[in-house]
């Protein structure tokens, strides 16, 4: 249904935002962590504990979106699927064309 497709893309967008915020958190921990007693190893562990599950969910929801809601409801969502895969991004249509 259209509601389910919108839900899947909203969750996918939420995961994307979570990954970006995790990168910002990692930067903040590296920049300000030593003042709080957080070293490189602890900052990296915190980053990994958050980023690994987000990345796993990213793969699952990407596959669900590719088969269930092929076209994003907003044009800009086509560019959040693989934000760090190429110099800028791997566009959604490239993913769909290769997957099918």
């Amino acid at each position: 249904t259209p509601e389910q497709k919108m839900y899947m893309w909203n969750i996918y967008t939420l995961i994307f935002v979570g990954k970006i915020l995790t990168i910002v958190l990692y930067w903040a921990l590296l920049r300000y962590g030593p003042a709080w007693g957080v070293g490189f190893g602890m900052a990296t562990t915190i980053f990994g504990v958050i980023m690994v599950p987000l990345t796993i969910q990213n793969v699952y929801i990407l596959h669900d979106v590719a088969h269930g809601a092929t076209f994003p409801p907003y044009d800009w969502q086509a560019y959040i699927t693989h934000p760090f895969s190429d110099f800028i991004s791997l566009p959604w249509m490239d993913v769909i064309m290769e997957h099918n």
Side-chain angles (χ1 to χ4, degrees):
T1 67
E3 293 83 19
Q4 289 173 325
K5 292 178 183 181
M6 189 61 128
Y7 175 77
M8 283 195 293
W9 275 101
N10 286 340
I11 294 298
Y12 196 85
T13 303
L14 181 65
I15 291 170
F16 172 76
V17 169
K19 289 173 78 173
I20 296 299
L21 291 175
T22 303
I23 292 167
V24 172
L25 172 68
Y26 187 50
W27 168 82
L29 288 173
L30 291 175
R31 174 70 175 90
Y32 302 108
W36 303 327
V38 177
F40 175 79
M42 181 59 73
T44 303
T45 300
I46 292 168
F47 173 78
V49 165
I50 298 169
M51 187 61 90
V52 167
L54 282 175
T55 303
I56 292 169
Q57 282 304 116
N58 184 63
V59 171
Y60 284 127
I61 194 76
L62 177 65
H63 191 261
D64 291 345
V65 166
H67 288 285
T70 306
F71 299 103
Y74 304 106
D75 292 337
W76 59 267
Q77 286 177 317
Y79 297 98
I80 67 170
T81 57
H82 293 79
F84 307 113
S85 296
D86 206 346
F87 292 116
I88 296 173
S89 181
L90 183 62
W92 177 246
M93 286 310 297
D94 290 352
V95 173
I96 292 299
M97 297 306 265
E98 286 188 27
H99 190 71
N100 291 333

